[in-house]
Amino acid sequence: MQKTEKKETLALYKDRNVQILLSKILNGEIGTLEPVYEPKTGYRYPVVEAILGNAPEVEPFLNKLHDAGILEKKLYDKIIFCPKCSSASISVRYCCPFCKSFNIQKSSLIEHMKCGYLDIEENFLEGNKYICPKCHEPLKKIDVDYKKAGIWCICEDCNKSFDIPVPTHFCRSCYTNSTFEEAVIKDVYSYTLTENVKAESFLNWFIVAAIREFLIKEGLTVESPALLKGKSGATHSFDIAAYKGDDPQKMMVVDLATSTEHDVSEQPVIALFAKIFDVSPEKAYLIAIPKLSENGKKMAELYKISAIEAENQEEVIASLKKSLGTD
Ligand SMILES: [Zn+2]
Ligand SMILES: [Zn+2]
Ligand SMILES: [Zn+2]
């Protein structure tokens, strides 16, 4: 399955791991690829790890797919790592700005609107009632005769008061405290398939399935995707390879190229030619959805590649039938 715009994207679609991930997204097994939280290591993508069989390769793999415009990413979370031991098992501590102790007491400030007295909640409490310590009147209704006027903190170690504590990060693995300045903070993303890739892949998916079914019905042995070894010893990947049951010499190969925005360029024709030059099948088809550029047509003719232009799978099958003489 080929995208015509970029060579790297083309190569990615031929990558077995990319194909597995895309097929899981296309068949609905994965909707949005979301990271799963693990206290020690941070976020992981178990589905991708299972495909690659190697956790450290996951991030470069997803980056590559994002750079190629196949996956879209959305910020999911920011994760804090210990600057000393790289553990993600971090707790946030709110500390005294004077002595840095995390042994602080957080209180609400209350203002008695009638007399203007302002103090922490605890000093208004008498039993289960609020009584103003200044004018000794009971407080009745919040936002009517009294209001909350913010937060006030008291340090249990140095007894100083302040309104804004200083956050620090405590590592539960190596017990080191670190500041915001020292923190290693990393963006974590969720991924979805880009809309136009989704449209193209779906189209390719159905068309390849339809061609495969048609060729099997015609009594051919079909491989899809097919990996074929060339004279050079290199292995080449085709969307479909098929041959008459007993004669792999009479091989036909099929590649599909779609473009949702404009005509399919000559790029997939050249790519297919490079492969058939090495593999020497009896016949090669390039299916261009919906149209092949003029340049592409000229090159296909020159390289003896049968180009089929089609809007949908029915048109593809009709043209293939004509070409195979089974009409
Ligand atoms: Zn640590
Ligand atoms: Zn303090
Ligand atoms: Zn009062």
Side-chain angles (χ1 to χ4, degrees), residues 238-251:
F238 298 90
D239 287 329
I240 298 173
Y243 54 91
K244 276 275 179 218
D246 51 347
D247 196 1
Q249 296 304 313
K250 294 200 166 173
M251 173 84 70

Side-chain angles (χ1 to χ4, degrees), residues 96-98 105 120 152-155 158-164:
C96 167
F98 303 103
Q105 210 53 55
I120 59 169
W152 199 242
C153 302
I154 296 168
C155 175
C158 75
N159 283 322
K160 284 190 172 127
S161 308
F162 47 93
D163 57 349
I164 302 170

Side-chain angles (χ1 to χ4, degrees), residues 64-119:
K64 213 164 52 181
L65 291 180
H66 172 255
D67 291 344
I70 296 173
L71 292 181
E72 242 160 49
K73 66 180 183 183
K74 203 175 144 210
L75 189 62
Y76 184 87
D77 199 2
K78 297 218 176 212
I79 186 151
I80 304 165
F81 291 98
C82 169
K84 196 174 165 205
C85 77
S86 301
S87 166
S89 184
I90 296 283
S91 74
V92 175
R93 286 178 169 179
Y94 295 104
C95 300
C96 167
F98 303 103
C99 73
K100 307 290 184 276
S101 164
F102 73 102
N103 188 11
I104 65 168
Q105 210 53 55
K106 177 188 159 203
S107 304
S108 296
L109 275 182
I110 286 183
E111 185 188 345
H112 189 207
M113 282 143 93
K114 197 175 163 192
C115 73
Y117 183 72
L118 187 76
D119 206 342

